[in-house]
Amino acid sequence: MIRDDVCEVLTDGFAGTGDYTLNGARSPRYVRFRDRWPNGSRFLYSVATESSQPAANGPKRESGIGEMIWGSPDRIERVTVLRSSNNDAVVTWLSTDRPVIFVTAPLEALAGYLPDYRAIGATDALVT
């Protein structure tokens, strides 16, 4: 199930390679992960740096399977990293990065729902 209205910011100063600690919906347009997934559920996630990130840090991204852990604060455990800007390995975040986490699905998963979907080469692309 894809929930495109879920997007949270991470706690201030989040850094490292551990669980993603959540700090609320990115804006009123979005809801929290806890509002869509029960404790212990798994889903596909993506984390990416916002455009306001310091240019020296470079753009970073990570997609994978995460598990919702309710708590204070809520967090998402990295179960499996599928793709990342770190050669598809776990991304090490700096405290000066400004990542947001949201729900995603690989384009291959949408193939049955999109009439003219096809992958191009080794990269994901959507052609309609």
Side-chain angles (χ1 to χ4, degrees), residues 8 10 14 16-22 33-34 37-47 62-71 73-82 90-91 93 101-102:
E8 288 202 47
L10 301 179
F14 172 81
T17 60
D19 295 349
Y20 290 114
T21 51
L22 306 175
F33 279 87
R34 141 185 304 260
W37 281 276
N39 189 39
S41 59
R42 290 188 174 185
F43 47 85
L44 294 169
Y45 72 87
S46 281
V47 180
E62 178 183 292
S63 296
I65 300 168
E67 183 172 323
M68 182 73 219
I69 309 294
W70 286 11
D74 292 340
R75 58 191 171 88
I76 294 173
E77 177 187 345
R78 295 170 170 172
V79 176
T80 303
V81 173
L82 301 172
V90 171
V91 169
W93 299 95
I101 186 166
F102 49 95

Side-chain angles (χ1 to χ4, degrees), residues 2-8 24-33 35-36 101-103:
I2 300 170
R3 303 282 194 167
D4 62 356
D5 59 347
V6 178
C7 183
E8 288 202 47
R26 182 173 181 220
S27 74
R29 177 194 181 288
Y30 299 103
V31 297
R32 301 172 306 161
F33 279 87
D35 297 330
R36 295 291 187 248
I101 186 166
F102 49 95
V103 177

Side-chain angles (χ1 to χ4, degrees), residues 80-104:
T80 303
V81 173
L82 301 172
R83 293 188 181 140
S84 80
S85 57
N86 186 28
N87 293 316
D88 296 336
V90 171
V91 169
T92 300
W93 299 95
L94 305 174
S95 61
T96 53
D97 290 333
R98 294 187 182 97
V100 294
I101 186 166
F102 49 95
V103 177
T104 190

